[in-house]
């Protein structure tokens, strides 16, 4: 992880990210864990674009390359063994892109987290994970009612992943 954004102090939901497995090899790819915790004394709902509990696409990378962070419990074919470029031809586009909105309820003090594995985007020119920095970001829309039209807090949060050659 090369950088992680700070969370605004006045919002009741605190996202975080940690590297669970940093090595990329022919047998396995890197893994991160995305978490979010309700720091309020009331229940809140996050209308985030699925960073913690679904798949996530980077917004920027070297030479236009992008990363996907995909749920490890699903099997994805790779286009070139050992390179970790995902073949998503059998999946609906909205199952892997970060424009899918999901309402997630958090009880007071409740944390939620999800592990995600790193893959190269199927549209990348290079099938292998290109060394460099990749920016992941998301806008959080938080309500205290579960009504997505009643947003009380809004903030953008993200992190930058650095891939280095071994």
């Amino acid at each position: 992880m090369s950088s992680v954004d700070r969370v605004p102090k006045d919002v009741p939901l605190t996202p975080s990210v940690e590297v669970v497995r940093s090595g990329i090899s022919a047998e396995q790819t890197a893994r991160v864990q995305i978490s979010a915790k309700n720091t309020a004394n009331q229940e809140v709902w996050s209308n985030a674009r699925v960073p913690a509990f679904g798949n996530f696409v980077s917004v920027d990378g070297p030479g236009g390359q992008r990363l996907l962070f995909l749920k490890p419990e699903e099997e994805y074919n790779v286009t070139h063994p050992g390179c970790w470029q995902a073949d998503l031809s059998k999946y609906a586009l909205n199952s892997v892109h970060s424009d899918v909105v999901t309402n997630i309820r958090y009880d007071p003090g409740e944390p939620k987290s999800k592990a995600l594995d790193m893959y190269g985007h199927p549209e990348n020119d290079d099938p292998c994970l290109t060394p460099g920095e990749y920016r992941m970001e998301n806008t959080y829309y938080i309500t205290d009612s579960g009504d997505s039209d009643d947003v009380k807090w809004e903030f953008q949060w993200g992190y930058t992943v650095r891939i280095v050659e071994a």
Side-chain angles (χ1 to χ4, degrees):
M1 204 71 48
S2 117
S3 68
V4 178
D5 294 351
R6 290 182 178 210
V7 179
K9 293 180 182 177
D10 64 335
V11 298
L13 193 68
T14 304
S16 62
V17 61
E18 68 176 293
V19 176
V20 175
R21 184 174 58 219
S22 62
I24 300 171
S25 68
E27 293 79 35
Q28 66 184 15
T29 187
R31 180 175 287 175
V32 298
Q33 182 164 306
I34 306 291
S35 302
K37 181 177 182 180
N38 178 1
T39 58
N41 293 329
Q42 64 186 45
E43 95 180 2
V44 297
W45 294 77
S46 170
N47 303 92
R49 288 186 166 32
V50 204
F53 310 106
N55 304 313
F56 203 42
V57 181
S58 66
V59 295
D60 192 17
Q65 303 294 305
R66 294 185 295 162
L67 292 180
L68 291 172
F69 281 95
L70 302 174
K71 298 179 277 189
E73 63 269 14
E74 295 182 21
E75 280 195 32
Y76 302 96
N77 293 325
V78 292
T79 57
H80 296 79
C83 280
W84 300 104
Q85 184 179 41
D87 173 6
L88 301 174
S89 57
K90 70 177 187 176
Y91 295 93
L93 277 179
N94 68 355
S95 70
V96 296
H97 283 75
S98 59
D99 58 356
V100 178
V101 178
T102 301
N103 291 326
I104 301 169
R105 180 181 154 212
Y106 293 82
D107 288 328
E110 180 181 17
K112 294 185 187 232
S113 63
K114 182 69 176 175
L116 297 169
D117 286 346
M118 184 188 316
Y119 290 85
H121 195 281
E123 296 172 359
N124 287 353
D125 294 331
D126 186 348
C128 292
L129 296 172
T130 304
E133 292 194 342
Y134 295 82
R135 178 74 183 155
M136 314 299 283
E137 58 187 37
N138 186 47
T139 301
Y140 286 79
Y141 303 95
I142 303 169
T143 101
D144 56 7
S145 66
D147 179 356
S148 59
D149 292 330
D150 188 26
V151 174
K152 301 278 191 222
W153 303 272
E154 178 181 335
F155 68 99
Q156 190 164 2
W157 179 82
Y159 54 95
T160 303
V161 173
R162 180 181 298 137
I163 296 177
V164 295
E165 285 194 58

